Every structure is written in structure tokens, then in C-alpha cells.
Amino acid sequence: MSTESQRHVPPSVKGVDRDQDMSEHSLAIEARNVDFYYGNLQVLFDISLLVPERSVTALIGPSGCGKSTFLRTLNRMNDLIDDTRVSGKILIEQQDINSDDVDVVLLRKHVGMVFQKSTPFPKSIFDNVAYGPRIAGEKNKTYLADLVESCLKQAALWDEVKGRLTDSAMALSGGQQQRLCIARTLATTPRIILMDEPASALDPASTSRIEDLIGELCSQYTIVIVTHNMQQASRVSHRTAFFFEGRLIEFGPTTQIFTNPAEKKTEDYITGRFG
Amino acid sequence: MSADSVAAPKITFTPGADNRVRRRLLWSNLVRQACRIAVYSAIVVLLVLLSVVFWLSIGWLDAQFLQSGTSRLAERAGIKAGLWGSFWLILLTAVISLPIGVGAAVYLEEYASDNRLTRTIKTNLANLAGVPSIVYGMLGLAAFVKMFGLFGGLRSGLQLNLGLLVVPLPFGKTVISGALTMSLLILPIVIIAAQESLRAVPRSIRIASLALGATRWQTVWRQVLPAALPGIATGAILAISRAIGETAPLLMAGAVSMARIYPGGIESPMDLLDPSKVGAAPFSAYTTMPTAIYEYIKIPEEEFAHVAAAGIVVLMIVLTVFNAAAVVIRMRAAKKVKW
């Protein structure tokens, strides 16, 4: 029998206060009745979810439950896949991101994304971080140098790379590459950062660095993170959404989801009975 | 040890009398030798050809040969007209075919959605690359030299005056007709090579670039093309090398065979400083190195075997220089990408 008292929730990382009152925070993301289709195959059913600004929301669920697909609807990366369709409304800072006059390029500048597999460009470390601002038209060299430094510092990578910014980013270790990708995303000064299993390919030490980093970043950015690792979800997030077979089964404060879930399916999943 | 444990059979690492193992090893060695013979036979044939050509050219490949036009007198015959003709032909072919070829490949790989039309185009590009070059020659003759007779005959056509450029319509037997024909011929090769290189760039790089708010074009220009450039350059140079050596389509589409003809009247690099000559070059009659060599070989007198050999040596030197340049370009481009 699992009861509330027996269930152990790991302590959260520094910077994430799971009991924080978010009622004063305005809404960063508002998804209303979102359905999503690959061709004729419906993979998301009626997803509605509110994300307050400057918070961390974890999306959990078994493989194929639609959590990554949902994440990609938030910066319209699904547009890159042929024959997909989304219905319902997704508002980011009160603006419908699927409306006709929205430019995806601007959307993605403000809603950054970090992928499961780190994808540094085959360029120098500096050029990787400076890529976002450069494509947005930034040419001022001192500004770029300052920005690259501050982003690398925010991503806790500066001390490891400061002497070799012109080296290839491909020479960095897996964990460093992933932090570089986070620094690169920060350089576009986004409001929201989407993370698609950012630590699943990393060793435990690098994973814990990424988690600490999320704790530091959430005071400035709204973070939505997809993760397979339930301990990770409980450590880094304020709120947790449990997806199953394309439906949002339960969404609430992380402490409650992990100690006292309302739904049987959620309880089965977080206690490891399936998934 | 329990009583019923059986001792493991003895193992050996030498083939000994095992016929099956011996046969496998023998076969492996046979294939290895056969492959070696394949390599050496190709090299030997090439070496024999090259030494014969070099041997024949001795005494004929001299300053006079490099400074004379095509001629029916052996002692006056040279390759200079062919050199300049080939220079203009290849320059224009490259200028026309590379942007179109790379552009088509970028469209097919980066922009076009995967539907029946694009699939048909992709499949048929390979077929186009296999069409005999003489067919392109006939197409060039009809489409560029004569322009289907739309502007009257070759002598009664129009003249389009565009300042420095005086464009004859139809183009007639001019460098531009030849270059357009050559472009048609090598476009499939350029496109296929560029497509392969673009496809070799990981999709994750494109996704990451787009996720940072880059447009399609910024992604192509700043990420995909630099990473694909070494491969694209190699394919382009191979295609251009093929164009340098092509003869058949040009015989159809208008290279003049026996003549001292210099496109635009340009006979030395200094003449390149004269804009009116440069402007006239594309619309001049021309001959090329392979056409000149072909004409020399056809002449029965024995001296012309030597003249032709000298021409072949010059052609091969030009090709070698070209390929060396390709290697340098490739290495430089590869250095910029920091894999």
C-alpha cells in the first residue's frame, strides 16, 4: 500500500520552490482544447494547460504519450513535419501563435528550444552562441562579445571554455555541448525555454548540473521541460503535467502530483507500475 | 569438480587439415589478388597511354605550339586558339551551370515538399545524366544556335544592342551557344552531386538553427551550405572537368574546327583589360582544345600525330591544374567548418 507518508519526493534543486505561490504571476502559456494530428492520426486530444511565467513545468508520461509533440506545438516546430494539423488555441503572452499574421521566426526567437541530443553547429564556441543574435541582425562586436560571455556564464560553462572560445564546439564533452546549446538559446533573449529531455543523454554529474541550471534560470525564464526521469521532474519543477495516450490526465503542483495524485493512472505511473 | 563434468574439446588456432577453413582462406586470398590486379591493370593501361602521348609530343610541344592557332601546316599548328576557346567556354559554362545547379539542388533538398512531382524530378535527374552527350549537342544546335528559327536564319538574324554587349539572335555558332549546351550537359551532374552533399548535412543542424529563429534561407546560407560546400565543390569541379574534355556536343553545336579564332580577339591576358573585347568574347566564334585535337588526329600526315599528342599533353596539364585547384578549394572550405 502506498500512502502519502510513505511516498518519498526528492528535495528540489536550489531556486525551485515547489510551494511558491504563483497566483501573482501572469500567464506565459495558455493552451485551450489543443488537438493535434499527424495526417489522419490524432495524437493529442483536447489538451488545456496554463503555465505561469517564471516557473518550471514538467511534462511527464510514457513514450508516445504526446508530451514532446505538445512541447513542439508551443514554438511550432511541428510545422517542419509534413502533413500535420493543430486545432484549438495556444496563447503565449495572450497572443494566438497559430494566427495567420504570426511569423514563426519571431515566435521561435522568443520561445527557445533545447533538444535531447545536443546539436552544436560545426563552428567555434563563440560563433555558436552568437548565432541567434547574428541572424537577428546584431553586428556590434563588443555587444556580441559581452552577450556571449554573459550567456555562457548563465549556462555555467564560462569557466570551462573562456580560454578557447574559437575552438570547435564539437570538441566539447556531451554535457558541455548541452550547456552550450542552452547558452545559445539564452542568447536570443527568449521569454520561454522549451526543453525536450535535455539531460537524457548525459551522465549523472552533467545531469545534475543541468538541473541546477534550470533552478537558476527559472527566476528569469519560463521553462517547460519534457522528461522521462520522474525524480528529475520532481526536483526541478513547480508544476507537473501527466500525459497518457495523447490526453492530459492530470496537471497540478508537483508536490501534489507526486504525493497525492487525484487520478489512479497518475499514481500508477509515478509509482512505476507502468511506463 | 563433479564427476560428470566432461573435459572441453581441445581447440586449435592453425587451419591444419580442416578443408573447409582452408577453402575459406584460399578464396579470401584469391579475391584479394584479383582486386589488386584490377587496380594495377587500370594503372598500367593509363601509364602506357600517357607515355606514348608524352613520347609523341617530344619536340613538338614548344613555344611555337603554345603560341599558334589551329593550322593545316604541321609546323604552324598550335593550341592557342583552343586554349582561349576552352577558357571562355568553361568560364561561361561555370557561371551559368553552378548557380542554377546548386540552386536547383537547394530547392529540391531544402524547400520542396515531398510530393509526386519532386520525386519524379529527382528520379529523372539521374536519367538525364545518362543521356548521350551528342543528344545535348543536337538540342543545343536547335535551341541556342538556331533558336528554332524564331529570329530568322543564322545570317539574317537580329542584333540586340545592349551597350557593350552586342547580342546576335539567334546566338549562332558562338561561345554562348556552346556554354549553354555544356551547361545543359553538366547540370544533372552538378545537381546530383550537390544534392548528395546537402543530404549529408545532419537534419538536427537545420532544426537547431530554425529553433533559434533563423529563416530557411539563413539556415541554408549559414549552416547547410558551408557544411556541404566541400562536397558541392568536388562535384562541380568533376562536372567542369568533364566539360573541358567534351567534343561531340560542341561539334554539333558550333565549335569551329579549323581556324585561328580567338573569342573577342583576345590573344593574351593583357587583352582581358579591354572591356569591349571581353564583352564581345561570349558572342564570338570559337574552337576548343578537344575539337582542335580531334581535327589534328583526322589529318593523315604523320606529323599531325605529334601535333595531336602535344595538344593532348596541354589538355591534360590544364585538367590537372584544375583538379589541383579543386583539392585546394575543398580543403579550405573544409577547414572553415569545425566538425
Side-chain angles (χ1 to χ4, degrees), chain B residues 214-236:
Chain B
T215 61
R216 283 263 178 185
W217 170 241
Q218 286 175 321
T219 302
V220 168
W221 182 245
R222 289 167 182 252
Q223 300 292 350
V224 181
L225 275 180
L229 194 60
I232 294 177
T234 308

Side-chain angles (χ1 to χ4, degrees), chain A residues 214-225:
Chain A
I214 292 171
E216 280 160 36
L217 293 176
C218 72
S219 60
Q220 284 181 60
Y221 304 92
T222 308
I223 296 174
V224 182
I225 177 173

Side-chain angles (χ1 to χ4, degrees), chain B residues 88-102 104 125 128-129 131 133 135-137 139-141 143-144 171 174-192 235-236 238-244 246 249-250 253 286:
Chain B
W88 285 108
L89 183 75
I90 294 310
L91 184 71
L92 284 177
T93 304
V95 166
I96 295 165
S97 66
L98 296 189
I100 296 179
V102 177
L125 275 172
L128 277 180
V131 171
S133 58
V135 176
Y136 284 103
L139 177 62
L141 179 65
F144 306 128
F171 287 148
T174 57
V175 177
I176 189 75
S177 296
L180 286 167
T181 308
M182 278 301 185
S183 297
L184 287 184
L185 177 71
I186 67 169
L187 261 175
I189 311 174
V190 176
I191 295 174
I192 290 171
L238 281 177
I240 298 277
S241 300
R242 172 160 180 210
I244 294 179
E246 272 290 350
L250 293 180
Y286 67 106

